[in-house]
Each structure stands twice: as structure tokens, then as C-alpha cells.
């Protein structure tokens, strides 16, 4: 393959998505940039398959959890376990960081789930800087492509490698790989599938750069023939509140698109309580309306076994939830454990 293109998901068996392309004689010096679990799989694929990773850049350590204990990012943990040179800049334009980055003499920089880079960083290596993005660009540019693809009811997504440029997620496309989104998929299952798929695409992209085979394609050639581009903006708490004025199928997609994290939520007023109970909702099922449909948001429950809420055209039955201060549990378990006025 000599140009940017879609790679069919059946191009290689799942178990050999990247091992087929391993080049044990690749001498390109690679600096890897990333932070969360999603990025670790790509870094691991590069390191454990013989690519020359000369340095890793990740976010500074920060306090987390109830005790505010300083924790290393997943990428840092892996880099330390392999003895890789590590940089954690507070500011990406800091001269000390830029000098340290130049000293690594990278031929290419690989970015997976990191932060927006200034031009002085992404333009530094002679072979360029490419990013792995968890969508089929130009669709779902932004911070939360997996969540929004599921929320919007998409039946297909994928991963893209592309060269960085000034505007976020707009650079020339190198490779893409597709995968279906099943009706039972959640953000978690799609995340894990794209994480492994993306690792293979990163290795394939490095191989193509090493061989001088890349002819990246402008994203204008991938624009939809009908409809608009769908963005993937950052998700906040208010974003996650369930709107029961929407159809039940849309609420179903919304819940699974945020499950298990950051999780959809709603306030539910249960019988015997004077104040609503805020519930995180991880799983629901759709039930059609039989007879007259109550107003959207109406709660129906027997207080022991089921809890369902009216939507615009039917009901969603809450299956897996979490109340404040409680663990995640099945809805019937929560109902049986609640006492009137318990908060």
C-alpha cells in the first residue's frame, strides 16, 4: 500500500494485526507521547516488537483518589518498567523541555491520547509527528470520539493515523481501519477494541514511514457526501444527564455511550422519599409503551424488582446503577436495600 487508505478489518486476522508488519531492522528513532491506558497498548506494541523508542513524554504526576496520593500515569508506569527515558513537562514550550526533546534526536514522534502540541514540538522530527485518533476522521474530531459515536447511534467506527498540523485532528490521513459497533457495545468494549486495533495501525504507520511509502491524503477527500461532520467535544458532568424527552432508543445509546465512565446519570424520586436520589446509570433496556404513555420522566417501580422511566415513545428499564456512597449494583438489589428517606 503506497498511499493513505482505509484498511479493511479483515485485512489481517485479529491476532496478527501488527505482528505481520514487524520490521526487526527498523532504525528510526521514535519518541512516544501519551498518558492513559489507551496509549499504553501502542507503546507496548512498539517496544515489544523491536522498534527503537528513545524516549517517552507523558503528563506530570498529579494527585488522585480520596487520599490525593500522587499517581503515575499508565504510560509512565509502563515506561518505567522498561527503563525508557521519560519527560514530563508542565509546559510544552518550556526551553528545558524542548532542549531535552531535541537531544533525543527522534526521526518521528508518535502521539496517542496526549495533549495538543505546539508547532515547535510537532514540527521537530524530520519524518514528522503522527497521531492515533479513535474515530474515522474527519468524523468525530475532538476529545471523546468513542463516547459520541455510540451516543449518536453509529454502527461503525475505527482508528486513524494522521500527521499533526495546526488545527486539532485535521491533518493529512495516513491509514484508517474500521470496526462495527454492535448494538450491545459500550464505551468500554469499543475503547478496548480500538486500543488493540490502534496499536497495530501505529506499527504499520511506522513501517510505512521507514520504507518511505506514505502519501498522506488530505481530509477533504474523506468528507461525507451527505450530512454534516459530527464533533466529539469533551464531556462534562452536565453532558451526562439523561434527557427522557428523547426516544427510548436514543436514551439507550446515550447510556451505553457513557458506560462505565463517566456514566450517565439522573435524579429519581422513588416512593416513600421526599428528595430525589441521584443515580449513575450503566445499563438500561428498552420497553415499548403499552396503552397510554405517561409524560417523559415519569418513574414506575414496584420498589423491589424493577425501575423504569418513561421516554418520548416508550420506557427504559434501569438495569445497573450506582447511588451516592454505594457500589455499582443491579437495580433490584438497590431497591431492596433502600429505606424511606435514606440518602
Amino acid at each position: 500500500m503506497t498511499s493513505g487508505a482505509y484498511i479493511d478489518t479483515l485485512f489481517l486476522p485479529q491476532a496478527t494485526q501488527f505482528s505481520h508488519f514487524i520490521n526487526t531492522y527498523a532504525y528510526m528513532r521514535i519518541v512516544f507521547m501519551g498518558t492513559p491506558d489507551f496509549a499504553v497498548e501502542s507503546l507496548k506494541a512498539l517496544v515489544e516488537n523491536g522498534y527503537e523508542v528513545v524516549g517517552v513524554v507523558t503528563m506530570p504526576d498529579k494527585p488522585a483518589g480520596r487520599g490525593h496520593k500522587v499517581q503515575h500515569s499508565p504510560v509512565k508506569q509502563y515506561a518505567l518498567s522498561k527503563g525508557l527515558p521519560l519527560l514530563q513537562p508542565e509546559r510544552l514550550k518550556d526551553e528545558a523541555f524542548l532542549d531535552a526533546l531535541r537531544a533525543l534526536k527522534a526521526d518521528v514522534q508518535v502521539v496517542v491520547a496526549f495533549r495538543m502540541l505546539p508547532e515547535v514540538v510537532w514540527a521537530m522530527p524530520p519524518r514528522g509527528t503522527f497521531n492515533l485518533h479513535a474515530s474515522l476522521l474527519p468524523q468525530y474530531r475532538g476529545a471523546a470520539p468513542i463516547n459520541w459515536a455510540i451516543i449518536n447511534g453509529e454502527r461503525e467506527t475505527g482508528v486513524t493515523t494522521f500527521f499533526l498540523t495546526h488545527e486539532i485532528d485535521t491533518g493529512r490521513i495516513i491509514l484508517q481501519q474500521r470496526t462495527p459497533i454492535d448494538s450491545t457495545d459500550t464505551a468500554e468494549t469499543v475503547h478496548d477494541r480500538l486500543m488493540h486495533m490502534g496499536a497495530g495501525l501505529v506499527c504499520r504507520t511506522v513501517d510505512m514511514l521507514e520504507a518511505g511509502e506514505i502519501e498522506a491524503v488530505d481530509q477533504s477527500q474523506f468528507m461525507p457526501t451527505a450530512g454534516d461532520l459530527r464533533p466529539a467535544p469533551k464531556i462534562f458532568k452536565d453532558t451526562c444527564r439523561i434527557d427522557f424527552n428523547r426516544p427510548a432508543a436514543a436514551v439507550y445509546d446515550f447510556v451505553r455511550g457513557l458506560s462505565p465512565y463517566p456514566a450517565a446519570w439522573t435524579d429519581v424520586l422513588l416512593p416513600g422519599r421526599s428528595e430525589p436520589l441521584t443515580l449513575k446509570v450503566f445499563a438500561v433496556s428498552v420497553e415499548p409503551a403499552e396503552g397510554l404513555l405517561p409524560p417523559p420522566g415519569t418513574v414506575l417501580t414496584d420498589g423491589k424488582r424493577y425501575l423504569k422511566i418513561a421516554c418520548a415513545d416508550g420506557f427504559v428499564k434501569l438495569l445497573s446503577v450506582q447511588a451516592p456512597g454505594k457500589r455499582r449494583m443491579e437495580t433490584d438489589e438497590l431497591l431492596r436495600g433502600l429505606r424511606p428517606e435514606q440518602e
Side-chain angles (χ1 to χ4, degrees), residues 286-343:
V286 174
E287 292 188 1
E290 296 180 359
L292 184 64
L293 181 67
T298 301
V299 176
L300 299 180
T301 180
D302 63 356
K304 295 180 180 179
R305 294 176 291 112
Y306 73 85
L307 172 60
K308 59 184 182 181
I309 302 177
C311 301
D313 60 355
F315 295 91
V316 289
K317 184 177 181 181
L318 277 57
L319 302 177
S320 179
V321 297
Q322 183 177 8
K326 304 288 186 179
R327 60 176 173 81
R328 175 177 174 175
M329 61 184 72
E330 300 303 300
T331 303
D332 59 348
E333 182 182 358
L334 174 74
L335 291 173
R336 291 193 302 268
L338 286 176
R339 298 188 303 272
E341 298 305 317
Q342 179 181 340
E343 296 183 359

Side-chain angles (χ1 to χ4, degrees), residues 39 41 45 53 64 92 110 119 135 174 199-200 247 260 276 280 292 299 330:
E41 196 65 27
V53 179
L92 295 176
V110 178
E119 182 175 3
S135 81
I174 305 169
K280 288 184 176 181
L292 184 64
V299 176
E330 300 303 300

Side-chain angles (χ1 to χ4, degrees), residues 215-285:
E215 296 177 10
V217 179
D218 191 273
Q219 288 194 28
S220 62
Q221 298 189 37
F222 294 84
M223 292 295 178
T225 55
D228 298 324
L229 289 179
R230 290 186 163 183
K234 187 175 180 179
I235 291 174
F236 299 95
K237 181 179 179 180
D238 287 347
T239 313
C240 300
R241 184 166 191 165
I242 301 172
D243 180 4
F244 292 103
N245 291 297
R246 304 188 68 201
V251 173
Y252 172 82
D253 289 338
F254 184 80
V255 169
R256 67 193 183 96
L258 296 170
S259 180
Y261 182 83
W265 65 275
T266 188
D267 291 326
V268 178
L269 183 60
L270 297 173
R273 296 178 59 88
S274 60
E275 297 294 332
L277 181 66
T278 299
L279 294 178
K280 288 184 176 181
V281 183
F282 301 100
V284 299
S285 61

Side-chain angles (χ1 to χ4, degrees), residues 79-270:
L80 290 174
S81 74
K82 296 299 179 180
L84 298 172
L86 190 66
L87 298 174
Q88 293 182 269
E90 291 283 351
R91 295 176 57 253
L92 295 176
K93 292 184 179 181
D94 182 81
E95 284 301 325
F97 165 66
L98 294 175
D99 288 343
L101 189 61
R102 292 187 189 99
L104 294 173
K105 298 181 179 179
D107 297 300
V108 64
Q109 292 173 158
V110 178
V111 181
V112 182
F114 192 48
R115 52 202 280 199
M116 189 171 181
L117 301 180
E119 182 175 3
V120 67
V121 173
W122 58 255
M124 189 178 295
R127 300 290 185 99
T129 298
F130 74 84
N131 179 255
L132 173 71
H133 188 72
S135 81
L136 297 172
L137 290 174
Q139 293 288 10
Y140 296 104
R141 295 167 174 161
I146 296 173
N147 304 101
W148 285 108
I150 300 172
I151 288 170
N152 289 334
E154 301 288 358
R155 293 295 174 257
E156 184 180 55
T157 187
V159 284
T160 302
T161 54
F162 67 98
F163 285 116
L164 290 190
T165 187
H166 292 94
E167 299 297 325
I168 189 168
D169 297 337
T170 60
R172 293 172 299 136
I173 290 174
I174 305 169
L175 291 174
Q176 292 188 321
Q177 186 168 355
R178 298 173 178 268
T179 185
I181 300 177
D182 189 78
S183 61
T184 59
D185 269 323
T186 64
E188 181 177 42
T189 59
V190 174
H191 169 280
D192 291 352
R193 190 154 69 246
L194 295 185
M195 178 176 67
H196 292 282
M197 184 183 294
L201 208 67
V202 164
C203 291
R204 174 59 174 153
T205 302
V206 171
D207 285 340
M208 293 176 67
L209 278 168
E210 176 71 21
E213 296 177 347
I214 286 180
E215 296 177 10
V217 179
D218 191 273
Q219 288 194 28
S220 62
Q221 298 189 37
F222 294 84
M223 292 295 178
T225 55
D228 298 324
L229 289 179
R230 290 186 163 183
K234 187 175 180 179
I235 291 174
F236 299 95
K237 181 179 179 180
D238 287 347
T239 313
C240 300
R241 184 166 191 165
I242 301 172
D243 180 4
F244 292 103
N245 291 297
R246 304 188 68 201
V251 173
Y252 172 82
D253 289 338
F254 184 80
V255 169
R256 67 193 183 96
L258 296 170
S259 180
Y261 182 83
W265 65 275
T266 188
D267 291 326
V268 178
L269 183 60
L270 297 173

